[in-house]
Amino acid sequence: MLDWLNDDQRALRDMAQAFAVKEVEPLAVQIDREEHTPDALIAKAAEVGLFGLYTSADYGGSGADLVSACLVSEEIAKASPAFAGALTVQMVLSPRTVELLGTAEQKQRLLPASASGERVIAYSQSEPAGAANVASHLTKLTPDGNGWRLDGAKLYCTQANAKVVLVMCKTHGRDGKEGYGCIAVDMDRAGVEILPYEHKLGWRGTNTGSINYNNIRIEDDDILGDVLTGGFSHRPANHANVLAHAATSLGCAQGMLDKTLDYVKERRLYGRDMAELQPISYWLAEAHAKLVAGRALLYANARAFDAGAMEPAMGSVCKAWIGDTAFEVCAKLLQMWGGSGIMDATGVNRYMRDAKAKCMAEGASEMHYAIIANQLLHGVGSLVRPAG
Ligand SMILES: Cc1cc2nc3c(=O)[nH]c(=O)nc-3n(C[C@H](O)[C@H](O)[C@H](O)COP(=O)(O)OP(=O)(O)OC[C@H]3O[C@@H](n4cnc5c(N)ncnc54)[C@H](O)[C@@H]3O)c2cc1C
């Protein structure tokens, strides 16, 4: 499978696989239990170039394609689906948003530091009114003298401890027009209040937090893209990220399958090998078949994306189907571990918990199915239906 990968893509996949086995796997259970990713791991990830992988070479990255980013996300997720989730934000979503919207000066200011791991950039859209319910979002940017002011509250921001957060918000232009913009907010500004969530079901150690913005001073060069449209006009970054995110779901389920195969091969039940029980061997085969299908779906679309030829709503097909399938696979595989899978000591139930978190992050599955339905029924691969 994936025999069409070129040498660069294969080399990056092999590098990520080796990094995951050597550096991520030994810390994965600790990250989940302690809800903290060690700084040393982040530094090592930066050193091997993971954060700058999908950033262009002009801005300190290695300019790899999305297929490569997905391969890396999948490999890292096999060891730690949580760490892989946070990685996709910094490797794909945030830098690509800046590349699509920013001026040369803004890109030079933000991207090399992001690629080197020195300044994490987070991405924040979700609000209490519903993450995708943009029309009801209340966080707003308004003109204030020769600058601007930002007020509002955002939820569920991955890496809420980042140095910079890209805030999608309602905007009021100087001419009175309203829109939805993208603001790069330095988190050390007065008025920023970060409230971390603790004891999450999954994606532990990714510093998820809600963030309040209380009368934050914003300058013109903090605004990325057009003040009235920047919040919408970086769609390719979102599309790339849903594919990279689907790759983490795939890696999550593959990691669980790999560990379950090892367990089943060792476990004896009723005086014989557990694998001889017919339902067990069927479930393993079924899980494998689903992941093979998911991998074919994902990489065909990542390749099409890189060629500028991905069909409408196919990112949502990948995100929703692979995400939901990964959760189903992980839940079924966990069953094979019996009581030992429920107990903390085996360290595998995190895969099912992380798989569920992945059905929510980067858009709930149902939101993506709504996009697919709009494409099928109205020919519009977005949440917004045509009028009439
Ligand atoms: C671990 C984690 C990390 C996250 N990281 C980020 C981040 O970095 N930045 C960020 O902005 N957000 C982030 N999110 C937020 C995430 O995108 C939202 O939780 C998700 O989109 C669902 O939105 P909501 O929580 O507001 O639920 P709601 O919008 O209240 O939706 C509740 C449920 O309604 C259903 N539903 C929602 N919309 C539709 C629809 N259009 N059609 C049909 N059914 C629908 C779904 O079943 C959904 O689960 C993260 C979430 C999690 C869990």
Side-chain angles (χ1 to χ4, degrees):
M1 193 169 205
L2 302 187
D3 54 359
W4 48 264
L5 293 180
N6 64 34
D7 289 348
D8 290 346
Q9 291 161 340
R10 280 173 205 280
L12 281 169
R13 180 184 60 185
D14 294 349
M15 179 276 289
Q17 191 178 57
F19 183 81
V21 170
K22 181 163 178 259
E23 306 292 352
V24 185
E25 182 74 44
L27 294 171
V29 171
Q30 179 191 323
I31 290 170
D32 181 65
R33 281 196 194 134
E34 297 180 6
E35 302 191 52
H36 173 73
T37 302
D39 291 346
L41 176 60
I42 294 169
K44 284 177 183 164
E47 203 175 296
V48 295
L50 297 190
F51 298 139
L53 189 101
Y54 194 57
T55 299
S56 67
D58 290 346
Y59 298 104
S62 44
D65 55 16
L66 188 65
V67 167
S68 302
C70 289
L71 290 164
V72 168
S73 295
E74 184 187 347
E75 292 304 328
I76 302 294
K78 287 179 190 171
S80 171
F83 183 58
L87 175 65
T88 64
V89 176
Q90 201 183 346
M91 179 170 67
V92 175
L93 179 58
S94 297
R96 188 45 56 113
T97 300
V98 174
E99 285 213 43
L100 288 170
L101 295 177
T103 62
E105 184 281 320
Q106 287 170 323
K107 290 188 246 193
Q108 205 56 59
R109 177 157 47 93
L110 293 167
L111 291 175
S114 162
S116 71
E118 184 194 321
R119 277 163 76 86
V120 173
I121 306 178
Y123 183 101
S124 187
Q125 173 171 317
S126 301
E127 291 205 12
N133 187 13
V134 166
S136 301
H137 284 185
L138 298 176
T139 301
K140 64 176 190 298
L141 182 83
T142 45
D144 183 23
N146 60 354
W148 305 80
R149 139 187 188 167
L150 180 70
D151 292 281
K154 291 283 179 185
L155 302 183
Y156 315 132
C157 180
T158 300
Q159 306 278 46
N161 58 338
K163 296 264 174 53
V164 175
V165 175
L166 306 181
V167 179
M168 310 307 129
C169 63
K170 282 252 168 74
T171 46
H172 299 259
R174 294 193 191 283
D175 55 4
K177 287 188 184 149
E178 293 190 1
Y180 198 69
C182 174
I183 321 300
V185 182
D186 277 319
M187 286 292 104
D188 54 11
R189 296 259 162 98
V192 171
E193 185 186 11
I194 301 166
L195 306 165
Y197 297 100
E198 287 178 351
H199 313 309
K200 298 199 300 278
L201 176 77
W203 271 41
R204 293 167 172 230
T206 59
N207 294 306
T208 319
S210 59
I211 307 179
N212 294 332
Y213 298 95
N214 307 305
N215 193 10
I216 312 288
R217 173 77 182 175
I218 299 294
E219 308 298 343
D220 281 344
D221 63 7
D222 298 323
I223 298 171
L224 295 181
D226 185 282
V227 68
L228 297 179
T229 60
F232 292 121
S233 58
H234 59 276
R235 287 271 185 255
N238 299 113
H239 294 156
N241 198 51
V242 292
L243 292 172
H245 201 87
T248 70
S249 293
L250 189 64
C252 174
Q254 187 65 54
M256 182 65 179
L257 177 57
D258 293 345
K259 288 189 170 55
T260 305
L261 280 167
D262 289 345
Y263 176 75
V264 166
K265 284 180 197 162
E266 292 294 318
R267 176 87 168 129
R268 284 183 63 79
L269 277 177
Y270 317 114
R272 58 188 175 141
D273 289 344
M274 184 186 185
E276 286 177 25
L277 293 170
Q278 206 175 46
I280 298 292
S281 58
Y282 276 16
W283 286 353
L284 290 168
E286 185 189 42
H288 174 69
K290 286 181 175 173
L291 299 189
V292 168
R295 192 163 290 112
L297 174 69
L298 173 67
Y299 288 99
N301 280 286
R303 196 181 189 191
F305 181 93
D306 282 331
M310 188 169 78
E311 290 176 21
M314 285 310 292
S316 288
V317 170
C318 293
K319 165 70 174 74
W321 190 80
I322 295 172
D324 286 354
T325 301
F327 175 68
E328 286 161 19
V329 164
C330 288
K332 200 140 194 193
L333 293 173
L334 186 63
Q335 189 74 7
M336 295 184 207
W337 291 72
S340 74
I342 305 303
M343 304 306 147
D344 197 36
T346 44
V348 289
N349 60 39
R350 66 192 167 90
Y351 282 97
M352 188 188 77
R353 292 185 281 103
D354 284 345
K356 177 46 84 178
K358 286 174 188 296
C359 296
M360 205 63 71
E362 192 52 52
S365 303
E366 294 73 19
M367 186 211 78
H368 286 287
Y369 284 124
I371 290 173
I372 299 163
N374 273 350
Q375 176 62 28
L376 290 176
L377 296 168
H378 308 288
V380 181
S382 75
L383 270 185
V384 184
R385 287 188 203 172

